[in-house]
Amino acid sequence: MEPRLDISLFGTCAVRLACDGRAAIEVRGAKHRALFALLATAPLGRRSRGYLQKTLWGEGDYDSGHQNLRRALADLRKALGPAFDTILHATATDLQLSLDHTRFAPGEGSFLHDLDVREPAFLTWRDEISSRPDFLAAFGRASRSGTVRLRPRISALPLTALDGDPELRVLGDWMAEEICRGLSRSTLITVISHLSGRAMAGRMIDIAGVRDILGVDYLVTGTVRRRGAEIVCDLDFVDVASGMILWSRNLVCDAAAATRTLPDRLAEVIRAVGRSVAETTLRNLRGISLPEIADHELLIAGVASMHRPALRDFLTARHYLSEAAARAPNSSDVHAWLGKWHVLNVFKGYSTDRAGDTQRALGCTAQALDLDPDSSFALVIDGFAHSNILRDLGEAGRRYAAALDRNPNESLGWLLRGALLAFQDQGTAAVHATDTARRLSPIDPFGYYYDSLASTAHISAGNFHEALVYAERSLAVNDRHISTFRSKITAQYSLGDGEGARGTAAELRRRFPDFRIDDYRRTHPSAEHKVGRLVIEALTAAGIS
């Protein structure tokens, strides 16, 4: 076992070294503990010797402070033994605490409550930290035991049969199962099985009890009843923390055909859940600093922001994802999402350092695969990087195939494989892949992206009417996705609507004034294929040079 320093910053400031199964070594001196507290709260765990001397021993006598710090370090080396050099790195100018070997232990009370250090500079520092809720939130979060939970938790309770009808009880349980099954396909949430909520079904719902027993952030609940020959289902989607009903749905179907007609209706419910979680998360984060954001809000906020139209949202997404990676450095999915951000940054033309961002994208996907070599999602994003910025379609195809071999329900894998097949002029297979992706991904908060790539697939297959429908639907949600404009122009041109294509081209130029066909020829993976040549022909005919 490598040495580990446990430090508690709240209530009693305790600093202990655990190493090789020996009894823990407790650091007792007040200024010795204060030294560790100062280092543990510093960026990268590093502070200058001058700062530490001034903060712990005052500014009056530099030589005296210098000697006091040297004496404190000698005491610690004697107490900690060989572990000292693992825990602390000392140079002539700085001291650095190894945060890789440090664990923030839980504590009760205010920040450094009982640490009896009376130097004015130390008290000023302590009070400044205490007055910053964002700092306290970050340190408090680090002090909680257990692993970081990056995904919101959702469950669906079996719908209550209002009249006690046993057939309706079975139907209500089946509906909750279908909702949970659909939600579980997403990599952005954690689904608690409807079986866990069966004991709560059929009675008055106590939100606080649900939160305590199931540990969920969101809940689908409702009732089912008969109305003549019809079945009526009333569903509520609830934010468990606030108790607020985020939306309600009323589903009515013929009783004789309930199990045939309800799956499509429930798919709409599941999509609404995905949109609502993303929108609620982003709304809740307005005006909140990164350290104050709950762990389970960071990932979905980053993914949702990354796929919003505004550039400022895209740039903000990187902050969310980087913070998530800092809190959960061993999460393969987080590094993969961060890799996707870098790919989009290059592919959309936002990057001012294309070569550097390309390497950052590949670095993220490599790290994701190092952490979990069998991660289907990490394989998909690595394939995305090879396709869209390296233009290595062969390697991208192998990555997608490996991902789908590991997880045939990986919706993004099917979607991006569909785009790849479209780029390679395999239109029929591309349409099949994007249709499969849309069926498997009912809740992702970037449905416009699925519609956009479905449009690309139909362009490749020569289904220009369908391509136009998907492009227009995608643009209605996100009108800052340039490839959708290209698909719409190509579909209009191919349908003989030259005037419409020119109008769309004018809109593209207004939103992307720097776009040039030469950029497409140089950077797009399909540019040298039949579908790419058709796009270039359509753009040229529409007046784009």
Side-chain angles (χ1 to χ4, degrees):
M1 171 185 171
E2 287 195 321
R4 186 191 72 216
L5 192 78
D6 292 338
I7 180 169
S8 173
L9 298 173
F10 294 89
T12 299
C13 178
V15 180
R16 298 182 181 87
L17 177 74
C19 186
D20 290 335
R22 295 157 44 197
I25 299 170
E26 185 156 0
V27 177
R28 297 187 179 279
K31 289 195 175 180
H32 298 86
R33 289 181 286 147
L35 174 65
F36 279 115
L38 286 163
L39 293 173
T41 55
L44 303 178
R46 181 189 299 131
R47 292 195 190 273
S48 70
R49 285 177 176 261
Y51 176 86
L52 294 169
Q53 290 165 199
K54 180 186 73 172
T55 304
L56 292 174
W57 288 281
E59 301 187 70
D61 185 345
Y62 175 83
D63 289 336
S64 176
H66 179 70
Q67 291 300 323
N68 284 328
L69 179 58
R70 288 188 61 185
R71 190 178 302 113
L73 292 174
D75 293 342
L76 289 171
R77 182 178 288 278
K78 181 178 179 181
L80 303 181
F84 177 91
D85 291 318
T86 301
I87 298 297
L88 286 170
H89 177 65
T91 69
T93 57
D94 299 313
L95 285 180
Q96 184 170 12
L97 176 67
S98 173
L99 297 179
D100 289 339
H101 295 87
T102 301
R103 184 179 73 92
F104 292 93
E108 296 293 335
S110 57
F111 183 67
L112 299 179
H113 170 68
D114 75 332
L115 199 54
D116 188 21
V117 176
R118 310 314 302 170
E119 290 295 336
F122 180 82
L123 296 175
T124 298
W125 168 79
R126 185 197 66 188
D127 293 343
E128 286 178 352
I129 294 290
S130 298
S131 68
R132 290 284 304 274
D134 54 344
F135 273 46
L136 293 179
F139 297 144
R141 196 164 38 242
S143 300
R144 291 198 302 266
S145 59
T147 58
V148 173
R149 175 169 72 87
L150 285 176
R151 296 174 180 82
R153 289 176 178 156
I154 300 177
S155 189
L157 296 185
L159 274 63
T160 301
L162 291 179
D163 59 2
D165 184 327
E167 290 185 3
L168 291 186
R169 281 205 300 269
V170 172
L171 181 65
D173 189 84
W174 171 79
M175 291 177 68
E177 182 181 10
E178 286 295 298
I179 292 170
C180 287
R181 182 179 290 121
L183 292 172
S184 68
R185 297 188 186 121
S186 173
T187 61
L188 295 173
I189 62 173
T190 298
V191 179
I192 306 300
S193 169
H194 79 294
L195 299 175
S196 299
R198 270 184 176 171
M200 296 183 173
R203 66 185 187 189
M204 190 71 70
I205 300 299
D206 172 44
I207 294 299
V210 170
R211 183 172 61 243
D212 294 341
I213 294 172
L214 298 183
V216 295
D217 304 294
Y218 299 95
L219 184 70
V220 180
T221 185
T223 62
V224 57
R225 56 191 166 88
R226 294 186 188 275
R227 187 176 65 191
E230 296 176 326
I231 288 178
V232 180
C233 308
D234 293 301
L235 299 171
D236 295 327
F237 186 54
V238 182
D239 181 336
V240 173
S242 66
M244 182 183 298
I245 296 176
L246 300 176
W247 50 251
S248 295
R249 295 288 187 274
N250 176 259
L251 309 182
V252 180
C253 66
D254 183 75
T259 55
R260 292 198 307 274
T261 58
L262 279 175
D264 289 340
R265 305 292 300 278
L266 292 178
E268 289 298 323
V269 168
I270 293 166
R271 279 189 283 271
V273 167
R275 289 191 299 269
S276 189
V277 171
E279 291 166 3
T280 301
T281 300
L282 292 177
R283 186 168 59 248
N284 290 344
L285 299 190
R286 290 173 188 162
I288 297 179
S289 64
L290 277 177
E292 292 180 280
I293 297 173
D295 297 334
H296 72 270
E297 294 178 316
L298 280 169
L299 179 60
I300 200 162
V303 174
S305 297
M306 178 165 54
H307 293 90
R308 287 168 73 91
L311 175 59
R312 66 178 179 274
D313 291 323
F314 179 78
L315 297 176
T316 299
R318 183 182 182 182
H319 296 301
Y320 290 141
L321 294 172
S322 296
E323 178 72 8
R327 295 188 196 178
N330 295 322
S331 169
S332 174
D333 281 2
V334 171
H335 291 290
W337 279 117
L338 194 54
K340 184 179 183 186
W341 185 92
H342 285 294
V343 174
L344 292 177
N345 191 40
V346 172
F347 191 64
K348 290 185 173 185
Y350 296 151
S351 173
T352 57
D353 178 14
R354 183 181 177 92
D357 282 326
T358 295
Q359 289 307 308
R360 280 183 275 276
L362 296 172
C364 286
T365 59
Q367 187 168 4
L369 287 167
D370 284 344
L371 289 166
D372 184 359
D374 290 324
S375 168
S376 61
F377 183 69
L379 283 166
V380 166
I381 301 302
D382 196 47
F384 185 53
H386 280 83
S387 169
N388 285 44
I389 55 178
L390 296 182
R391 300 179 71 179
D392 186 347
L393 303 191
E395 183 60 29
R398 287 186 286 275
R399 291 297 192 181
Y400 296 151
L404 293 173
D405 182 57
R406 287 163 173 78
N407 179 11
N409 292 324
E410 180 59 70
S411 67
L412 193 60
W414 281 106
L415 182 72
L416 296 178
R417 185 185 190 190
L420 177 68
L421 292 168
F423 297 162
Q424 296 173 317
D425 301 325
Q426 299 180 54
T428 301
V431 169
H432 170 73
T434 56
D435 283 349
T436 301
R438 289 166 50 77
R439 177 174 55 81
L440 290 174
S441 181
I443 80 155
D444 288 296
F446 45 100
Y448 82 89
Y449 188 58
Y450 281 66
D451 287 340
S452 177
L453 294 191
S455 179
T456 300
H458 282 285
I459 290 286
S460 182
N463 305 327
F464 301 115
H465 177 74
E466 290 83 353
L468 182 60
V469 169
Y470 280 116
E472 289 180 334
R473 190 160 75 183
S474 178
L475 288 171
V477 177
N478 184 341
D479 59 2
R480 295 289 300 177
H481 197 60
I482 191 169
S483 67
T484 319
F485 278 103
R486 291 196 295 258
S487 293
K488 183 177 178 180
I489 291 168
T490 305
Q492 290 171 316
Y493 169 78
S494 300
L495 290 169
D497 183 8
E499 183 178 352
R502 288 188 291 274
T504 304
E507 184 69 12
L508 184 153
R509 285 194 300 269
R510 187 177 72 82
R511 295 189 178 280
F512 304 95
D514 296 329
F515 174 73
R516 300 290 183 273
I517 289 181
D518 282 345
D519 296 333
Y520 179 86
R521 286 195 181 98
R522 187 178 66 256
T523 64
H524 201 279
S526 73
E528 297 177 1
H529 293 264
K530 178 181 175 182
V531 68
R533 293 193 293 272
L534 175 60
V535 171
I536 292 169
E537 179 183 328
L539 293 175
T540 303
I544 295 177
S545 58

